[in-house]
């Protein structure tokens, strides 16, 4: 299995190297021709930002945060709050959290499905530590189940 993956990766790398080698000799207009053919722009002098258009296709766009009931992210390492590692009050686990941001409030959820309000953290903290939105769930329970924090893996801590 790994040999097939390695061969595929090497083939992709060789193809990329070939394209890059050919691209060195192209004029900028020739280099960007495949992009213009893929998405024709009515005015090539203007960038998508100047025209007000979104550069992502409609299937890849995520609506704004105001339409979400909340956000969640995994935090596999110990969560330090004011220099102290946060532990679950019910089971004592100190790592592998699901951090739920609902408005300005932060809730921590362990693998055993214990959910605890964390007043020391805020929505601003969450916005600063979280990355981009990778997946959108229709309900909170669907997201919790998909991430494995519904109690199925109760008592298990995954290595980081």
């Amino acid at each position: 299995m790994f040999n097939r993956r390695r061969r595929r990766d090497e083939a992709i790398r060789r193809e990329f190297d070939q394209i890059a080698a050919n691209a060195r000799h192209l004029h900028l207009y020739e280099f960007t021709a495949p992009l213009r053919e893929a998405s024709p722009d009515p005015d090539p002098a203007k960038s998508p930002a100047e025209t007000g258009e979104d550069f992502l296709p409609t299937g890849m766009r995520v609506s704004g945060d105001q339409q979400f009931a909340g956000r969640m992210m995994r935090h596999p390492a110990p969560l330090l709050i004011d220099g102290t590692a946060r532990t679950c009050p019910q089971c004592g686990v100190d790592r592998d959290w699901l951090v739920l941001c609902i408005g300005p409030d932060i809730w921590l959820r362990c693998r055993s499905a214990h959910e605890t309000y964390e007043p020391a953290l805020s929505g601003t903290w969450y916005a600063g530590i979280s990355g981009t939105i990778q997946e959108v769930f229709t309900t909170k329970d669907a997201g919790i189940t998909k991430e494995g924090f519904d109690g199925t893996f109760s008592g298990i801590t995954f290595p980081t």
Side-chain angles (χ1 to χ4, degrees), residues 37-52:
E37 292 168 5
S39 60
D41 191 12
D43 187 3
K46 290 186 176 181
S47 68
E50 292 171 350
T51 59

Side-chain angles (χ1 to χ4, degrees), residues 86-95 97 110 112 114 157:
R86 181 70 166 101
T87 59
C88 177
Q90 286 88 8
C91 64
V93 72
D94 66 343
R95 65 187 71 226
W97 296 102
C110 69
S112 298
H114 302 130
T157 303

